[in-house]
Amino acid sequence: MPLGCPVWDSSKQENNAAGTPESLVLEVALSRLLMNAASSSGMAEAAAAEPLSRLSSVAYSPTAPLPVRAEATRLLAGLLLHPARRNLLTPVRAELLHTGFADLAAATAPADPAGATGYELAAITVDLTAFPARRAELIRPVLEKSATAPVPIRLAIARWLNENGFPQEALALCDTTDGIAADPAWFTVRVDALFAQRAFDTAIQRLNDPAQPLPVHRQQLFLYRIDRAAGRDEPSLAARRAALEKSVARAEPREVLETAENLERSGDIPTALALYSGLKNHPNAGLTARLGMVRCLDTSPDRTSDL
């Protein structure tokens, strides 16, 4: 399906919300609470039914304010595209979600071209999830767009390529974009792509280059994740983990949280929990850190008392 924005067909709405903007905001807030209350990986179809209905009523409402509709559509995508709930992504729901993102792109494009690109790419992500056999066809217009896009748009596309399992194409985009050698965002794209291709030696060489542009804690995070993925022995991992924790200790709380969330997503729950725990009493970051601790402990049956 092309990156263009199809016209919304109101006959396909699952549940059109009618109400004040305040009531629509409450629908989204309640849906978020329902989703947070359930296990993010274990929410059963029955538990997903209520937030699915509420979010659909807002995301596909022509009268909902744009920011509220955008938030509802993003939450709906998180609900339907989760690997544990793929059975909920019927062809009709996939088409509705694609069109919802496409409509957001059309509405956003005049004032925020980069944001519109994000919505366009989100629509393609829906298609990739719903129709995996069409990957080659679906990626073609994305690559065509990247060939002539300005650098910020190319960066968004490169990140999306990595996130959706196209590391070779992401590397090609890095190689054909001028003036990005000292840019940390582009460097991260390149290392992510090398990591996905298991080109660990090349990634380590780039990370150990004195001219690499990442802050120390980000550099150590990548090196640690590479060592874990490469199956290094425990003494080597322990030394790398210690170097990571030492560098993170000198970082800002926001950076510590980002590092912990990265480790949590990659499956290193013990190290993520240790970083969250170090911030649990911080006046500004403590609440976010404690919520991260809850998520980590929730995955560890032997830590019920700590939870």
Side-chain angles (χ1 to χ4, degrees):
M1 197 170 291
L3 285 177
C5 304
V7 176
W8 175 247
D9 180 358
S10 60
S11 66
K12 297 172 183 174
Q13 295 176 46
E14 283 200 19
N15 185 10
N16 181 19
T20 66
E22 292 78 9
S23 67
L24 297 175
V25 170
L26 290 174
E27 288 288 308
V28 174
L30 179 57
S31 298
R32 183 186 289 279
L33 287 173
L34 290 168
M35 292 169 66
N36 288 344
S39 168
S40 61
S41 61
M43 179 187 284
E45 183 172 351
E50 184 175 355
L52 176 60
S53 175
R54 291 180 180 276
L55 290 170
S56 296
S57 73
V58 180
Y60 306 142
S61 169
T63 60
L66 182 62
V68 180
R69 188 153 48 94
E71 177 68 5
T73 306
R74 285 191 291 265
L75 286 172
L76 190 60
L79 187 66
L80 290 174
L81 301 184
H82 194 285
R85 292 183 290 277
R86 289 292 161 77
N87 59 312
L88 295 176
L89 190 66
T90 63
V92 171
R93 286 175 176 155
E95 184 179 355
L96 285 169
L97 189 56
H98 173 102
T99 306
F101 277 123
D103 284 353
L104 289 171
T108 306
D112 183 9
T117 297
Y119 290 131
E120 290 173 352
L121 294 173
I124 302 298
T125 299
V126 175
D127 294 342
L128 287 171
T129 306
F131 312 107
R134 296 171 52 197
R135 283 177 69 84
E137 170 195 347
L138 293 168
I139 192 66
R140 194 176 304 118
V142 179
L143 299 177
E144 291 172 355
K145 182 182 179 76
S146 71
T148 57
V151 172
I153 301 298
R154 289 167 72 90
L155 175 60
I157 292 173
R159 286 170 167 163
W160 181 89
L161 289 168
N162 271 338
E163 291 166 2
N164 288 275
F166 297 98
Q168 183 174 343
E169 289 80 359
L171 281 175
L173 201 48
C174 291
D175 291 338
T176 56
T177 304
D178 296 329
I180 61 168
D183 188 318
W186 278 99
F187 185 87
T188 298
V189 167
R190 186 182 292 279
V191 175
D192 277 337
L194 291 170
F195 183 92
Q197 293 184 318
R198 298 188 68 82
F200 297 142
D201 290 342
T202 303
I204 290 171
Q205 182 180 7
R206 287 187 172 274
L207 286 162
N208 285 329
D209 186 329
Q212 70 87 22
L214 298 181
V216 176
H217 71 280
R218 289 285 296 173
Q219 175 200 34
Q220 291 300 324
L221 172 63
F222 272 119
L223 289 170
Y224 172 62
R225 287 190 56 194
I226 288 170
D227 278 1
R228 285 189 74 235
R232 307 282 190 240
D233 58 78
E234 183 51 38
S236 298
L237 279 179
R240 185 70 77 188
R241 190 182 303 115
L244 170 61
E245 292 175 345
K246 181 179 179 181
S247 65
V248 170
R250 298 192 292 269
E252 294 294 322
R254 172 184 55 80
E255 296 169 331
V256 178
L257 290 173
E258 289 173 353
T259 303
E261 289 164 0
N262 188 299
L263 291 166
E264 182 187 349
R265 288 194 302 272
S266 68
D268 188 355
I269 301 301
T271 308
L273 178 60
L275 295 184
Y276 284 132
S277 299
L279 285 177
K280 66 181 180 180
N281 294 319
H282 191 279
N284 298 320
L287 177 59
T288 303
R290 286 174 183 270
L291 290 173
M293 292 173 65
V294 167
R295 291 194 304 272
C296 291
L297 292 169
D298 191 36
T299 66
S300 307
D302 59 331
R303 304 291 298 272
T304 303
S305 59
D306 294 328
L307 177 59

